[in-house]
Amino acid sequence: MQSDDLQPFFEVFEDTPRQGPGSVETTRRALGLLPRWLRVDRVLDLGCGTGGSTLVLARETGAHVTAVDFHPPFLATLRANAEAAGLDQRITTLAADMADTTALGSDFDLLWAEGSAYSIGLENALQRWWPLLRSQGCLVLTELVWFVDDPSERARAFFADEYPDMCDEATRIEQARQAGYRLVDSFRLSAADWHAYYAGVERSLSAAIARRGQHPVHATLRREREIYEACGDEYGYVCLVLQRDE
Ligand SMILES: C[S@@+](CC[C@H](N)C(=O)[O-])C[C@H]1O[C@@H](n2cnc3c(N)ncnc32)[C@H](O)[C@@H]1O
């Protein structure tokens, strides 16, 4: 799945602290919304990237976390960070396609997917991941959604190319319900998460351009930031805390 076309994209994100908007505070806030009685011993972090959420999950829950991503260099960084934090005994990395659920295990108490479910299609992810959970287990995900009914032409045109399947929060919640989850809670990610993300991307982009010269992927990333700066009140990430309904 990793064509040469994706390499310049991965190169930028190998050097960023996170690969999508998010933060320690956001991961902790979502953890705080899980049902109090939920026992969390086994966690699966899907599309974990370099593990921004993985380390928080291992530290805060005390559980064993299996962290899955199909880009091995991300997992190498995660392992180094886990070791530095003394968490390596409780984190297992798995280089795998998160759409191929046969390789991922089952009976997890908690599935986690920050900014990653969209890449295999959100509805597809909801359906495929349901059997990975034990009865009443939880799925926490973040997803890019429209906040307004009538987005500007500029934002609409950008996402028609970049994320044609993007819809609003209510639609995603209904899709989750149809896939067999109930909504426990939800919240919108903060502007601070976006700013930290773009600060990391900009640093890494400048270094990548200095190293290898301009690539169309670099222009797309810069355009994405410009759209956010101009139209960022029209869309954003929502965090959905879901529970398997049986
Ligand atoms: C937007 S990044 C989010 C990374 C991380 N969760 C975070 O919040 O920083 C999406 C991640 O999903 C991974 N990914 C995308 N499609 C995947 C697939 N089919 N199987 C496994 N990993 C995938 C990418 O390599 C990337 O690390």
Side-chain angles (χ1 to χ4, degrees):
M1 293 181 84
Q2 292 178 35
S3 69
D4 288 347
D5 288 353
L6 281 177
Q7 212 38 51
F9 178 83
F10 279 120
E11 232 176 79
V12 170
F13 285 101
E14 280 166 21
D15 287 338
T16 56
R18 296 187 80 111
Q19 290 67 49
S23 60
V24 171
E25 293 73 25
T26 292
T27 303
R28 294 183 67 188
R29 180 174 177 190
L31 275 172
L33 296 175
L34 293 172
R36 291 270 164 253
W37 51 262
L38 185 76
R39 193 188 154 106
V40 180
D41 293 328
R42 295 181 67 234
V43 181
L44 184 63
D45 191 354
L46 295 140
C48 59
T50 58
S53 55
T54 317
L55 298 195
V56 183
L57 292 169
R59 192 179 295 118
E60 301 278 324
T61 65
H64 190 94
V65 184
T66 303
V68 182
D69 204 284
F70 66 9
H71 188 57
F74 286 162
L75 298 176
T77 301
L78 194 169
R79 283 193 297 274
N81 291 342
E83 200 174 333
L87 293 166
D88 48 316
Q89 297 303 308
R90 284 198 290 104
I91 294 173
T92 302
T93 58
L94 181 62
D97 180 355
M98 63 189 179
D100 177 9
T101 49
T102 54
L104 303 179
S106 60
D107 270 327
F108 288 98
D109 306 302
L110 179 60
L111 305 182
W112 207 268
E114 286 195 37
S116 57
Y118 85 99
S119 55
I120 61 166
L122 191 91
E123 279 189 279
N124 182 38
L126 288 166
Q127 287 158 18
R128 281 176 187 260
W129 295 347
W130 190 94
L132 303 180
L133 279 171
R134 68 149 161 97
S135 171
Q136 309 289 314
C138 285
L139 163 64
V140 173
L141 61 86
T142 65
E143 167 70 2
L144 193 64
V145 295
W146 293 114
F147 289 159
V148 294
D149 293 336
D150 191 19
S152 60
E153 193 42 45
R154 192 172 174 194
R156 202 198 302 265
F158 180 77
F159 287 108
D161 280 343
E162 295 302 319
Y163 189 16
D165 189 36
M166 186 163 151
C167 49
D168 64 12
E169 180 177 352
T171 305
R172 292 307 189 194
I173 291 170
E174 177 55 21
Q175 288 170 350
R177 197 188 61 73
Q178 284 181 16
Y181 305 85
R182 69 175 192 88
L183 180 70
V184 176
D185 216 329
S186 69
F187 63 90
R188 290 178 180 182
L189 269 61
S190 66
D193 283 4
W194 281 96
H195 294 146
Y197 167 67
Y198 281 127
V201 169
E202 189 51 46
R203 268 193 304 275
S204 184
L205 251 181
S206 303
I209 292 168
R211 234 177 9 245
R212 66 142 63 215
Q214 285 276 359
H215 184 278
V217 159
H218 302 146
T220 304
L221 287 170
R222 287 234 163 98
R223 204 151 63 84
E224 183 193 306
R225 181 183 184 168
E226 285 161 18
I227 296 290
Y228 177 73
E229 279 164 4
C231 315
D233 52 349
E234 299 176 27
Y235 63 89
Y237 276 87
V238 68
C239 177
L240 301 182
V241 180
L242 305 168
Q243 183 169 32
R244 190 174 135 151
D245 66 2
E246 61 180 64

